[in-house]
Amino acid sequence: MREITYTQALNEALRICMTEDERVVLLGEDIGCYGGIFQVTKGLQTEFGPARVVDTPISEAGFVGASVGAALTGMRPVTEIMFIDFTTVCMDMVINQMAKMHYMFGGKGKVPMVLRINIGAGRGTAAQHSQSFHSVFMHIPGLFVAAPSTPYDAKGLLIEAVKNDNPVIFVEHKRLYNTKGMVPEESYRIPFGRAEVKRAGKDVTVFATHALVLSALEAAEEAAKDGIDIEVIDPRTLAPLDKDTLLTSVKKTGRLLVADEDNKTCGVAAEVSAIVAEEAIDYLKAPILRNCSPDTPVPFSPPLEKAYIFGKDRLLESIRRLMAYA
């Protein structure tokens, strides 16, 4: 294996899928000559041509709708939305078409397409380009939702998403694009619905997503200096969600902290907390804690945005609160 970035891992996954299957096409704004706003599709239009890497007009409803139609008729589109914020203008295509066609046609129609989006604050792009409302897609029956936190997971999950016959919302994170990790050169797939224990421990379960997985691992190293043994669970996919790994861990540690960058109300952390409250409450030694973004828009002001974003320090504070319970 070699060390590459999250961006390079995604690019490599797309190249592999396009090489192996001519039905795989890419659509999105500025994904061709420019290579995408985060350079995930860099070089692919030169390699595969403008007929397979399509620079679309600024019309998300139009090109997402076209992708749904292409998928229904045998293609395997991978469609990029520049920011998750812009999915709001194509929600009919996603929720009423992409997610429901297979069900409504009695299984006779398939929608094997991937919608690539990104979340996360931290780039000074203000309230309409920094949101993290990925939990909305967990709520919609018929959609798979992937959430890679490492370059290794990004490549394996994206290849699985492209080859999967179900519609997939592939949620990337802005602050992860330049992170590095060890990734095999060959093709490999990570099955959906299988969480990974990124760090084993016995005192507190930290269930974290995206960039907060890295923050949780940093917090675990700090907590270890105080004799606190943290287990870090990375779901890797939010739909399907691996409840077994979550519940097994909580039953072992008796304490749960859920960390996700979505807003706190009705977010990923709320669903995970509800699962544990319903199915493992007798094992808990302390209340479930959630570390999430506040229920406000993301501020443009750099000092306010810095205060909005949280990481290792807030996780450590919550971990110590949990350990204060007998």
Side-chain angles (χ1 to χ4, degrees), residues 193 241-248 271 275 278-279:
L241 186 67
D242 183 355
K243 295 198 301 182
D244 290 342
T245 298
L246 167 66
L247 294 171
T248 297
E271 177 62 21
I275 290 169
E278 287 179 343
E279 301 188 37

Side-chain angles (χ1 to χ4, degrees), residues 19-36:
T19 300
E20 292 178 348
D21 190 343
E22 63 181 10
R23 297 174 299 170
V24 178
V25 293
L26 311 185
L27 295 89
E29 297 159 0
D30 293 333
I31 68 166
C33 292
Y34 186 67

Side-chain angles (χ1 to χ4, degrees), residues 26-31 36-38 40-41 54 56-65 67 78-91 93-94 98 113-119 128-129 133 137 168-174 177:
L26 311 185
L27 295 89
E29 297 159 0
D30 293 333
I31 68 166
I37 190 170
F38 296 105
V40 171
T41 54
V54 183
T56 65
I58 303 174
S59 177
E60 282 79 6
F63 64 77
V64 173
S67 300
V78 181
T79 305
E80 177 180 311
I81 304 290
M82 274 190 179
F83 300 94
I84 192 174
D85 316 68
F86 302 165
T87 60
T88 56
V89 296
C90 60
M91 277 301 197
M93 291 298 127
V94 177
M98 180 180 173
M113 66 172 284
V114 180
L115 194 66
R116 288 185 46 245
I117 57 180
N118 64 73
I119 63 167
Q128 295 177 335
H129 297 74
F133 55 79
F137 300 105
V168 178
I169 306 295
F170 198 87
V171 187
E172 301 157 17
H173 196 292
K174 297 183 190 73
Y177 283 124

Side-chain angles (χ1 to χ4, degrees), residues 85-285:
D85 316 68
F86 302 165
T87 60
T88 56
V89 296
C90 60
M91 277 301 197
D92 177 61
M93 291 298 127
V94 177
I95 294 174
N96 289 327
Q97 313 303 332
M98 180 180 173
K100 293 182 172 61
M101 288 295 192
H102 182 72
Y103 176 82
M104 292 177 67
F105 293 164
K108 294 182 179 179
K110 295 187 296 186
V111 189
M113 66 172 284
V114 180
L115 194 66
R116 288 185 46 245
I117 57 180
N118 64 73
I119 63 167
R123 295 176 61 91
T125 48
Q128 295 177 335
H129 297 74
S130 306
Q131 296 176 83
S132 298
F133 55 79
H134 43 289
S135 60
V136 168
F137 300 105
M138 289 177 66
H139 184 72
I140 306 303
L143 296 177
F144 284 14
V145 182
S149 67
T150 67
Y152 178 88
D153 290 348
K155 180 177 176 179
L157 286 171
L158 185 52
I159 292 173
E160 172 63 26
V162 176
K163 294 179 180 292
N164 201 295
D165 283 338
N166 296 283
V168 178
I169 306 295
F170 198 87
V171 187
E172 301 157 17
H173 196 292
K174 297 183 190 73
R175 296 199 305 275
L176 292 176
Y177 283 124
N178 291 325
T179 59
K180 293 184 177 182
M182 302 303 292
V183 179
E185 292 188 32
E186 67 271 14
S187 178
Y188 60 93
R189 297 167 67 171
I190 296 175
F192 288 176
R194 293 188 190 176
E196 183 178 29
V197 179
K198 290 287 200 268
R199 185 186 192 278
K202 59 181 177 58
D203 292 327
V204 179
T205 298
V206 179
F207 182 98
T209 64
H210 288 111
L212 290 170
V213 174
L214 308 187
S215 298
L217 292 170
E218 292 175 357
E221 292 302 312
E222 287 289 319
K225 297 174 184 177
D226 298 327
I228 304 171
D229 196 14
I230 305 300
E231 180 147 297
V232 178
I233 305 293
D234 179 354
R236 301 202 289 193
T237 59
L238 300 174
L241 186 67
D242 183 355
K243 295 198 301 182
D244 290 342
T245 298
L246 167 66
L247 294 171
T248 297
S249 179
V250 170
K251 289 174 182 179
K252 176 176 65 173
T253 66
R255 299 177 179 87
L256 174 63
L257 169 62
V258 190
D260 180 72
E261 203 164 320
D262 197 355
N263 301 118
K264 191 171 188 179
T265 301
C266 298
V268 173
E271 177 62 21
V272 172
S273 299
I275 290 169
V276 173
E278 287 179 343
E279 301 188 37
I281 195 167
D282 292 338
Y283 294 88
L284 293 178
K285 303 172 186 175

